[in-house]
Amino acid sequence: MKYSKNFMKALVLIMTMINASMLMGQTAAVRGMVYDAQGKLPGVSVALVGTNRGDVTDTKGQFNIQSIEAGEYVLRFTFIGFEPVEKQISLTAGQNLNMGEVSMVEAIDELGEVVVVGTILPSQMRAFNIQKKAINIQNVIAADGIGKLPDRNAAEAVQRVPGVTIERDQGEGRFAIVRGTPIEWSSNLVNGDRLPSTDGFSGTRQVALDIIPTELIEYAVISKALTPDMEGDAIGGSIDFKTRTAPSGTVLNVSLAGGYNAQTQGESFNGSIIYGDRIGEKFGFLVSAASWYRPWASDNYELEYNFDLPGAQGFSINNQQIRDYEGTRTTNGVNLAAQYDLNANSNIFVRGLYDTFYDTEFVYQHDFNFPEGPDETPTLGSAQLLVRNAGYFTELYGGELGGEHQLAPKWNFDWKASMYKVENTAGEGNTKLPSADAGIQMGQFQQFGTFSNVSSDNYMYWDFDSPNGIGGMGDAFQPNFNSNLDPDQFMQTLAGTIGFELEEEDKVGQFNFEYDGGNKLKMKFGAKYRNKERSTLQSQQFFIPLGLLGAPVPVPVYSDYNLVPYDTKGGLLQEMGSPYENIILSNMMSEGAFNNMIVDVFNSPNEYYKADNGPAEINSFSGSENVTAGYAMATYDLNEKLSLTGGLRVEHTQVNITGYELDTNDNLTEFEVDPSYTSVLPALHLKYAVNDNANLRFAYSRSFARPNFSDLNPTRVLVSLGNITNISEGNADLEPTYANNFDVLGEYYFKDVGVVSGGLFYKDVSNVIFDNVNQETTSNGVTRTVRPENLESAWLLGVELAFTKRFTFLPGFWSGFGLNANYTYTKSEVEVPIFNDAGEESLSTQTLLNQPEHIYNVSLFYEKGKFSGRIAANYKGSYLAEYRIEAGPEHYRFYDKNLTVDLSSSYSISEKLRVFAEVNNLTNEPLRYYHGSVERPEQVEYYSIRGQVGLRFSLY
């Protein structure tokens, strides 16, 4: 691993100066670790009685109180839901007392029962205590809480947090969205470092969180307001996944489960193991591993509109697609952690992470291509059959080496070097093919025919858009193709393969110093250097039957191949009444026959013409990004109730990207860009402790979002179709998007474990990045250019409300019930350019992309004795998903509202063995996009219900 020589020299110099200048003063320090029967306890208040000196245990359960005058003290430990603990200590000048492990036990109520009766309660206690004691506004989910919900990956785990929603892929959570901002505006981290992007196609900074199993996560910390010691590129918020660390004693947990997917009618398997222990007094280790295999399937129908046409014809429909997906997914993950205590005040640690996500899919897609206006033959169009076999493989791996050291009673120092890398490919390819990276195989067949519900202008519409009222009706658009689909009439028109590879690697070096100046002041400063290397490669090979080009060679037809009866298994869009099962082909190509067809195409040069796909470089780019950051911050207690935290972070970003330009004469030119910018990010946080259970908070922070690599990529492509020239290009002059963030929050924590909170947030945003479309019409034709550019400004305003309460005030059986609910309202505005039919530009007020107005989570739970159960609803309102600048707001793409309901329950057979059951998507909620208004669907997709039952063993 290579790091800047200047960085290492500075680190050595600072350590030398501090070690040389710091002498043992006349104050003392005390440290230790707090735990309970479940393990480490984070968020415990540790206070020296009679003083304002104290600390809060971190996620490792550790505390450290410094700058204490010599004398006799009582050290008091308090934690929601636990009995307080008091320890007598005696400190002498210069002493650094290590108390070792301090044990706490659950509280006992008036009836002599243990308060901790439910299986998720210890998780909530940990999470709420961390939130309560944090200096910034954040939400926390602990590992055992994640495990009690039917959430199988990192994205699904955080969807229960106020202000967090997720985007799904084939029914499973994939991307996390914080406070309704674009996905790229939030940062996804592991142990404080940005995760490399998994997006291989579009070149964004998006991180697909479905690669991380929940079993590897110890905490998920969602920070809504950043402090200067956190990475600054997070406008929406920062989601930091803390992997499991070495335990204080023996831990051995095993989970085994089997499941079923109603759509594919297939079985799934899920298993995990967590083992950790200590060897002697100095060394601890942990190994956790998880594997989840599941079949999946979805039914989908889509409509493509002619929104680039002027006037009412922009609502005509060009194409209808009926898709049937079926595949398998396998997620595997391993987490390793070890810590060695050099002495009572110093340790070194190592962590490793390895995750893989393998997704296969086999797709049958029927397309109906409708007539395209008065210049075409009336009612004439075609039906197409597309078959696609694909495999996508994503691999995330890396590790960290670091240390934590107390240099003197007032000084702490920590350091870390880390590397994380993502490799994303379009499968492992078909080894029979000449191209080893051909992860996606495609075949296309076509049959011509006419349609019976074409409008008077020879376009296809919904009936309410049609000039003469003729068109589609009802919920399921009917193509009304006049000919039966016939395997003997479906001519092969295209076959080929697509492959892509992405590699993105982050190497990071960092250090932090903390200084405890006495009763009121704490300071922290540090630096961080990150080197990111990214490369993408896309390749494609397509073949056209020579018979279509006039050669005396027979054109293959669909019936030439091995066809089998089409089994829809869970039904094809049965939720809509199975409207298409009598329209599509009843016989389908088997997966093996399809693969053999692709191999034959590659090996038959006398029967197929290989299309010229242009130089490989045009679909590839590589680049690097170097970020150097430094910060300084301080926390000052103005009095016993009011504390102030403020500081400044500065990040300098240097980017270098190599791209290409391909002109209309197929001339390729290589060139590179190297934009750079410096971001100055101040922050100020006020925390007022109204009493032991209530806080008022105010926060200001400045944060930013870096441009996507695809936006900066200088590659420029020109494609001419008749008298229309389409140009797509990057923009190396893009500015980062910046936001000034303001937050106000009030929170009250119930003594029997619960919280009620409410807050406001406002974001003043500048330099929003969007894809601008510029169109020029001359005597030579039309030139349309798509280029990312910056908008001037935008704003976002929101309200967050949260409530969690156990109904312990109810008698007997009813006292086991409880409610967990949160609601987020957001409103945003941004000025987006639009064009009228004459090509004149003006501005239109719109919302930000991916910003639902309403989000809520409601979970009704019951926990009493050995039983725990909960039904959880997650709602995400409709939102704007895509601007179509050239067409205007009537043609924007919207995501429709979505309500997903999940169920989980468990029963403790004994202290060590628990049986559980989980069901996802109880209501079989569809994914739905619409065109301008809700009555014009663009995409409707169903996934059906899935679930699993299993056993969890907690042997230690």
Side-chain angles (χ1 to χ4, degrees):
M1 190 179 299
K2 297 180 180 179
Y3 293 98
S4 166
K5 292 182 179 179
N6 291 333
F7 173 84
M8 298 304 296
K9 288 180 180 179
L11 177 59
V12 172
L13 177 60
I14 292 172
M15 292 181 63
T16 303
M17 292 172 60
I18 289 179
N19 281 301
S21 61
M22 296 305 302
L23 301 175
M24 300 298 285
Q26 297 303 308
T27 60
V30 59
R31 63 193 301 157
M33 191 193 78
V34 186
Y35 71 100
D36 72 339
Q38 304 286 332
K40 298 166 287 189
L41 276 180
V44 176
S45 294
V46 186
L48 288 171
V49 178
T51 75
N52 64 350
R53 304 294 297 130
D55 196 11
V56 178
T57 57
D58 60 17
T59 55
K60 300 178 182 178
Q62 298 174 345
F63 67 93
N64 186 357
I65 307 174
Q66 302 177 6
S67 302
I68 309 170
E69 298 294 329
E72 302 288 330
Y73 294 95
V74 174
L75 200 58
R76 181 177 173 83
F77 301 82
T78 55
F79 190 78
I80 296 175
F82 279 67
E83 297 285 357
V85 173
E86 292 186 349
K87 298 284 187 180
Q88 293 279 346
I89 61 173
S90 178
L91 298 174
T92 60
Q95 183 182 8
N96 191 357
L97 175 63
N98 187 347
M99 296 189 64
E101 296 179 345
V102 178
S103 175
M104 298 187 73
V105 295
E106 296 90 345
I108 305 297
D109 66 13
E110 297 85 358
L111 300 177
E113 296 181 349
V114 175
V115 173
V116 184
V117 293
T119 57
I120 202 171
L121 187 56
S123 165
Q124 288 185 328
M125 289 187 294
R126 284 164 164 76
F128 288 157
N129 273 282
I130 295 174
Q131 290 177 198
K132 178 183 174 183
K133 300 300 180 182
I135 62 174
N136 68 325
I137 297 172
Q138 61 178 229
N139 298 101
V140 181
I141 308 175
D144 48 347
I146 295 171
K148 306 306 182 297
L149 292 164
D151 303 326
R152 298 261 61 89
N153 65 50
E156 294 178 351
V158 298
Q159 69 175 319
R160 317 291 177 179
V161 171
V164 178
T165 59
I166 60 174
E167 286 197 355
R168 300 176 184 271
D169 180 76
Q170 300 299 342
E172 296 182 11
R174 172 156 291 184
F175 301 112
I177 300 170
V178 182
R179 287 181 163 176
T181 59
I183 296 172
E184 298 91 338
W185 286 15
S186 296
S187 63
N188 297 283
L189 307 100
V190 57
N191 301 322
D193 294 326
R194 285 273 321 222
L195 282 164
S197 170
T198 55
D199 185 358
F201 272 116
S202 57
T204 71
R205 296 180 183 271
Q206 297 177 357
V207 177
L209 298 176
D210 48 7
I211 193 175
I212 304 178
T214 54
E215 291 89 346
L216 306 190
I217 303 169
E218 188 164 28
Y219 292 99
V221 181
I222 299 90
S223 295
K224 309 289 185 60
L226 305 184
T227 53
D229 58 342
M230 302 170 63
E231 297 214 17
D233 56 338
I235 293 177
S238 170
I239 305 176
D240 191 2
F241 297 101
K242 307 288 187 181
T243 58
R244 295 180 181 272
T245 57
S248 57
T250 305
V251 174
L252 179 56
N253 297 325
V254 179
S255 175
L256 296 171
Y260 182 78
N261 184 303
Q263 183 64 40
T264 189
Q265 298 180 345
E267 294 80 25
S268 64
F269 167 80
N270 179 245
S272 67
I273 183 170
I274 303 170
Y275 175 65
D277 207 345
R278 295 195 69 84
I279 300 175
E281 297 183 356
K282 292 181 176 293
F283 182 72
F285 70 93
L286 180 135
V287 179
S288 59
S291 181
W292 182 28
Y293 166 83
R294 66 277 190 198
W296 64 270
S298 67
D299 297 337
N300 162 297
Y301 99 90
E302 301 186 19
L303 298 175
E304 293 183 359
Y305 295 79
N306 293 308
F307 58 82
D308 56 344
L309 295 178
Q313 290 181 344
F315 296 109
S316 63
I317 301 169
N318 171 267
N319 170 273
Q320 179 177 13
Q321 303 170 16
I322 301 167
R323 303 183 182 189
D324 186 10
Y325 291 84
E326 187 173 348
T328 62
R329 288 180 169 177
T330 305
T331 305
N332 295 311
V334 179
N335 172 44
L336 305 174
Q339 178 174 312
Y340 183 78
D341 298 329
L342 300 172
N343 53 52
N345 304 314
S346 182
N347 70 75
I348 57 174
F349 62 85
V350 63
R351 303 184 188 115
L353 181 67
Y354 181 76
D355 293 321
T356 62
F357 180 84
Y358 189 42
D359 183 7
T360 68
E361 64 180 44
F362 198 60
V363 187
Y364 289 112
Q365 177 177 325
H366 290 75
D367 280 14
F368 295 93
N369 301 307
F370 300 131
E372 298 185 4
D375 294 336
E376 303 294 329
T377 303
T379 73
L380 180 64
S382 67
Q384 282 184 332
L385 177 66
L386 285 85
V387 187
R388 185 168 70 251
N389 191 12
Y392 306 95
F393 184 72
T394 305
E395 189 175 30
L396 166 65
Y397 57 91
E400 308 169 355
L401 173 66
E404 301 166 327
H405 315 278
Q406 184 171 4
L407 304 178
K410 294 185 179 182
W411 283 90
N412 288 324
F413 169 69
D414 66 80
W415 59 276
K416 187 171 71 171
S418 62
M419 184 282 292
Y420 286 98
K421 185 174 183 178
V422 159
E423 296 183 16
N424 191 2
T425 61
E428 297 175 346
N430 187 333
T431 56
K432 297 179 181 179
L433 297 178
S435 176
D437 62 350
I440 305 172
Q441 291 103 47
M442 302 175 62
Q444 177 177 295
F445 300 82
Q446 187 172 33
Q447 175 182 342
F448 290 95
T450 60
F451 295 88
S452 62
N453 56 342
V454 179
S455 182
S456 56
D457 59 358
N458 204 34
Y459 283 108
M460 186 76 79
Y461 295 88
W462 286 99
D463 59 346
F464 50 81
D465 287 324
S466 174
N468 60 349
I470 296 177
M473 295 181 293
D475 294 330
F477 193 96
Q478 294 294 314
N480 289 338
F481 194 60
N482 288 329
S483 303
N484 291 326
L485 302 190
D486 185 353
D488 292 330
Q489 300 297 317
F490 264 97
M491 298 182 297
Q492 186 182 56
T493 55
L494 190 72
T497 64
I498 301 175
F500 75 82
E501 298 178 6
L502 160 72
E503 290 189 3
E504 183 167 309
E505 180 179 22
D506 285 357
K507 300 174 184 176
V508 180
Q510 58 187 298
F511 64 82
N512 302 283
F513 287 95
E514 289 188 83
Y515 174 72
D516 191 333
N519 293 340
K520 295 186 176 182
L521 179 66
K522 291 183 179 179
M523 295 188 297
K524 186 177 182 182
F525 62 91
K528 190 170 191 176
Y529 175 78
R530 173 169 57 82
N531 166 252
K532 179 188 291 290
E533 299 288 341
R534 180 185 176 102
S535 64
T536 62
L537 171 65
Q538 293 188 31
S539 61
Q540 55 190 30
Q541 299 183 65
F542 288 108
F543 298 83
I544 301 172
L546 286 173
L548 292 179
L549 303 177
V553 180
V555 177
V557 294
Y558 194 55
S559 57
D560 290 341
Y561 302 97
N562 181 31
L563 302 184
V564 297
Y566 181 24
D567 182 7
T568 61
K569 294 190 175 178
L572 181 61
L573 290 167
Q574 62 177 352
E575 297 86 354
M576 302 176 67
S578 302
Y580 303 115
E581 288 196 7
N582 294 327
I583 298 174
I584 62 175
L585 283 167
S586 60
N587 293 308
M588 309 300 290
M589 200 183 307
S590 68
E591 185 173 351
F594 174 76
N595 288 340
N596 290 333
M597 181 197 79
I598 298 296
V599 173
D600 290 342
V601 168
F602 270 80
N603 293 327
S604 304
N606 296 325
E607 299 177 19
Y608 292 89
Y609 167 75
K610 183 178 179 181
D612 183 8
N613 300 301
E617 290 87 351
I618 202 65
N619 296 312
S620 309
F621 75 91
S622 61
S624 64
E625 181 178 82
N626 296 307
V627 178
T628 305
Y631 75 92
M633 59 182 286
T635 298
Y636 185 73
D637 296 329
L638 299 171
N639 53 49
E640 292 184 359
K641 291 182 175 292
L642 183 62
S643 66
L644 182 151
T645 299
L648 183 71
R649 184 181 186 89
V650 179
E651 297 195 14
H652 178 73
T653 305
Q654 178 70 56
V655 181
N656 181 274
I657 298 179
T658 300
Y660 302 87
E661 178 175 317
L662 184 68
D663 62 23
T664 53
N665 295 319
D666 292 336
N667 296 316
L668 185 70
T669 303
E670 177 184 322
F671 57 101
E672 64 180 51
V673 295
D674 54 355
S676 65
Y677 46 89
T678 299
S679 304
V680 180
L681 311 170
L684 177 67
H685 300 258
L686 290 175
K687 178 182 176 183
Y688 180 74
V690 179
N691 54 45
D692 289 342
N693 299 316
N695 293 320
L696 291 176
R697 300 177 183 269
F698 167 80
Y700 163 75
S701 61
R702 183 168 173 81
S703 55
F704 72 109
R706 293 184 172 92
N708 290 322
F709 285 100
S710 56
D711 294 333
L712 297 172
N713 178 17
T715 295
R716 189 168 188 261
V717 181
L718 293 81
V719 178
S720 292
L721 298 172
N723 65 340
I724 299 177
T725 300
N726 292 294
I727 302 174
S728 62
E729 61 183 5
N731 182 2
D733 295 326
L734 281 175
E735 296 288 338
T737 302
Y738 287 96
N740 291 309
N741 311 288
F742 301 87
D743 289 83
V744 178
L745 177 72
E747 53 189 8
Y748 178 83
Y749 293 87
F750 300 111
K751 292 183 179 180
D752 57 349
V753 189
V755 66
V756 57
S757 66
L760 297 170
F761 60 88
Y762 176 79
K763 298 179 182 294
D764 179 30
V765 186
S766 59
N767 298 335
V768 177
I769 298 172
F770 78 114
D771 286 332
N772 195 15
V773 179
N774 184 31
Q775 184 168 301
E776 295 183 3
T777 302
T778 67
S779 58
N780 295 324
V782 176
T783 300
R784 182 179 298 151
T785 303
V786 179
R787 186 174 189 260
E789 294 182 1
N790 290 111
L791 295 170
E792 289 189 6
S793 62
W795 59 263
L796 186 148
L797 174 68
V799 178
E800 284 184 354
L801 304 173
F803 176 84
T804 299
K805 184 73 171 69
R806 284 173 153 71
F807 302 152
T808 53
F809 54 87
L810 296 177
F813 166 83
W814 302 102
S815 64
F817 281 101
L819 180 68
N820 184 1
N822 59 70
Y823 168 76
T824 302
Y825 170 83
T826 50
K827 177 71 173 177
S828 67
E829 283 191 2
V830 62
E831 297 290 324
V832 179
I834 59 173
F835 296 89
N836 61 22
D837 291 345
E840 298 169 334
E841 180 179 339
S842 61
L843 293 177
S844 171
T845 300
Q846 300 293 327
T847 66
L848 291 167
L849 295 180
N850 302 321
Q851 189 254 298
E853 189 171 3
H854 303 283
I855 305 168
Y856 67 74
N857 288 281
V858 178
S859 175
L860 178 66
F861 60 87
Y862 184 85
E863 294 184 346
K864 188 80 171 176
K866 296 181 178 181
F867 176 78
S868 172
R870 63 190 55 239
I871 183 168
N874 179 275
Y875 175 83
K876 179 169 60 173
S878 60
Y879 61 77
L880 179 56
E882 180 184 345
Y883 302 127
R884 287 161 175 162
I885 304 300
E886 69 275 28
E890 291 182 322
H891 299 284
Y892 288 174
R893 179 177 171 90
F894 288 85
Y895 175 94
D896 205 356
K897 60 183 181 297
N898 183 277
L899 176 64
T900 302
V901 181
D902 304 315
L903 175 69
S904 63
S905 62
S906 67
Y907 182 81
S908 297
I909 299 173
S910 67
E911 291 184 1
K912 298 182 180 296
L913 178 62
R914 187 168 76 249
V915 60
F916 66 91
E918 303 170 349
V919 181
N920 291 88
N921 197 20
L922 272 172
T923 56
N924 193 14
E925 185 78 352
L927 171 76
R928 191 175 188 275
Y929 288 89
Y930 59 87
H931 184 94
S933 58
V934 69
E935 68 269 16
R936 298 187 188 94
E938 287 194 1
Q939 178 179 343
V940 180
E941 191 164 289
Y942 285 90
Y943 312 108
S944 194
I945 301 172
R946 70 177 189 271
Q948 64 174 6
V949 296
L951 296 171
R952 290 193 177 98
F953 306 85
S954 298
L955 302 180
Y956 293 97

